[in-house]
Amino acid sequence: MKTIHVNASKSYDILIERGILDRAGEEIKTVCGAGEALIVSDDTVWDLYGETVLDSMQKADFDVTSFTFPHGEQSKNLSVYADILNALAARHLSRKGLVVALGGGVVGDMAGFAAATYLRGVRFVQIPTTLLSQVDSSIGGKTAIDFGGVKNIVGAFYQPKKVIIDPEVLETLSRRQLMAGLAEAIKMAATNDAELFELIENSAGLTADLPQIIYRALMIKKNVVEQDPRETGLRKVLNFGHTIGHAVESFNAGKLLHGECVALGMIPMSGDNAAARIKSVLEKYGLPSKIGQSAEELMPFL
Ligand code: NAD
Ligand code: MG
């Protein structure tokens, strides 16, 4: 097992290990004790991994139930957020209670925001299940919902007590989602870690290298968020590729995944040599590498 200790406004550990899901309960117990808990997940992830996490928490003596909502970004709204609060209130979860987010970035952001606000904050653990959430959204303490047609406009900075990462769950993730997450890891490598970039460039088949890629990408994000937890300066480096990427994402409204747009957005921001290397690594993994719009078309969305 690899452990990363994060020292942001609060400190917590990130554990990375194949198969760790089976003993998630024990790992959570070491930071929270065994008390009342609600697992929040989406329908897809719950069907795949819900029982495993529920069983392991019950074995560790948690008084645990679950709440699931339909998968996808369209659930990241006020009404589903209210449903989570209702589930917490219906259980009379006390301030010593615990929320476990089991899923991708949508679940993490929603469950995290509910945990941050219910009773002014209850304990929160992340079990991210997409590559994007494992390398990016589960660390750094940003939680949010979409509101009024704007992404992530209502939220809070709120740190988890622990993050539990099982690279094995990525085996059920679609290749497209996996690669979209890889694009964020490529972004981190391109800005901070030449060896990680080479590892991704040279990897044969990716799967065997995923634990190492996740670990190194998280080390980059850890170092950045520890120095700049509220994104006043350095943390903006993590936005590499996002300026043009977000414009491409808005223009294509829902047709491209966020990571695919970040992939595209890195190229025009880079010098010739860097752009060529980034392009070739994107092509290696079947990520898009050519923006389909002209500068004029994208300008209104920039
Ligand atoms: P997601 O949570 O919607 O997951 C993508 C899809 O994969 C979903 O349909 C989900 O059901 C499915 N899935 C998840 N894990 C699976 C598994 N192991 N096997 C099979 N299917 C699985 O999307 P995402 O890409 O993980 O996250 C995107 C969200 O994260 C966005 O809302 C974005 O705003 C947010 N985000 C937040 C931060 C942050 O710092 N808080 C950073 C980046 C992104
Ligand atoms: Mg991003």
Side-chain angles (χ1 to χ4, degrees):
M1 179 168 75
K2 280 200 184 301
T3 303
I4 296 177
H5 185 69
V6 183
N7 215 333
S9 51
K10 297 264 168 49
S11 68
Y12 56 94
D13 285 338
I14 303 174
L15 312 179
I16 308 162
E17 187 189 291
R18 281 185 185 278
I20 195 172
L21 219 60
D22 292 332
R23 45 185 193 81
E26 285 165 47
E27 290 296 349
I28 298 169
K29 196 172 177 177
T30 63
V31 283
C32 296
E36 314 158 288
L38 182 76
I39 305 171
V40 177
S41 192
D42 72 27
D43 51 358
T44 304
V45 177
W46 181 261
D47 285 351
L48 289 164
Y49 304 108
E51 284 298 319
T52 306
V53 174
L54 189 76
D55 282 356
S56 86
M57 289 186 70
Q58 280 169 343
K59 280 198 193 107
D61 297 323
F62 282 89
D63 171 13
V64 55
T65 51
S66 66
F67 174 82
T68 64
F69 59 83
H71 65 275
E73 183 73 25
Q74 64 285 356
S75 281
K76 209 170 130 179
N77 60 40
L78 206 54
S79 130
V80 177
Y81 164 67
D83 292 342
I84 301 174
L85 295 181
N86 272 320
L88 292 166
R91 282 216 51 195
H92 307 291
L93 200 94
S94 74
R95 197 167 277 155
K96 286 184 176 160
L98 164 73
V99 173
V100 176
L102 172 67
V106 167
V107 170
D109 277 12
M110 299 262 296
F113 185 49
T117 47
Y118 179 76
L119 297 178
R120 303 189 187 85
V122 294
R123 292 181 285 198
F124 169 49
V125 166
Q126 293 255 34
I127 308 182
T129 62
T130 60
L131 183 56
L132 183 126
S133 57
Q134 294 188 347
V135 297
D136 192 355
S137 62
S138 62
I139 160 174
K142 285 189 188 174
T143 71
I145 58 171
D146 305 338
F147 182 70
V150 185
K151 248 182 88 93
N152 299 333
I153 187 116
V154 175
F157 283 97
Y158 196 66
Q159 308 294 339
K161 292 281 175 207
K162 203 168 228 180
V163 181
I164 296 173
I165 296 181
D166 188 342
E168 232 165 68
V169 303
L170 301 177
E171 283 161 23
T172 53
L173 194 63
S174 73
R175 185 158 176 93
R176 188 173 176 203
Q177 289 283 359
L178 185 74
M179 292 311 158
L182 185 70
E184 293 278 11
I186 293 171
K187 168 205 78 180
M188 296 195 214
T191 53
N192 282 275
D193 185 346
E195 277 179 31
L196 174 59
F197 197 88
E198 283 164 22
L199 174 69
I200 299 173
E201 271 179 326
N202 300 324
S203 176
L206 200 64
T207 310
D209 290 320
L210 278 174
Q212 183 65 6
I213 291 169
I214 294 165
Y215 175 78
R216 291 188 81 119
L218 283 170
M219 285 302 289
I220 295 168
K221 186 149 180 186
K222 162 197 151 77
N223 286 324
V224 171
V225 298
E226 281 181 351
Q227 290 175 63
D228 179 16
R230 287 185 166 254
E231 196 170 308
T232 52
L234 178 67
R235 188 164 176 174
K236 291 179 185 160
V237 74
L238 299 176
N239 297 341
F240 175 48
H242 283 61
T243 305
I244 293 174
H246 277 147
V248 174
E249 199 173 355
S250 303
F251 185 96
N252 289 285
K255 288 202 283 289
L256 292 175
L257 296 175
H258 173 72
E260 294 170 339
C261 298
V262 171
L264 289 167
M266 291 189 280
I267 298 165
M269 304 305 281
S270 305
D272 290 349
N273 289 340
R277 272 181 80 184
I278 290 171
K279 210 163 171 278
S280 105
V281 78
L282 297 178
E283 280 161 5
K284 168 171 176 160
Y285 292 105
L287 280 158
S289 62
K290 196 173 181 319
I291 298 177
Q293 289 77 43
S294 66
E296 291 69 33
E297 283 174 306
L298 291 179
M299 211 46 111
F301 296 89
L302 210 64

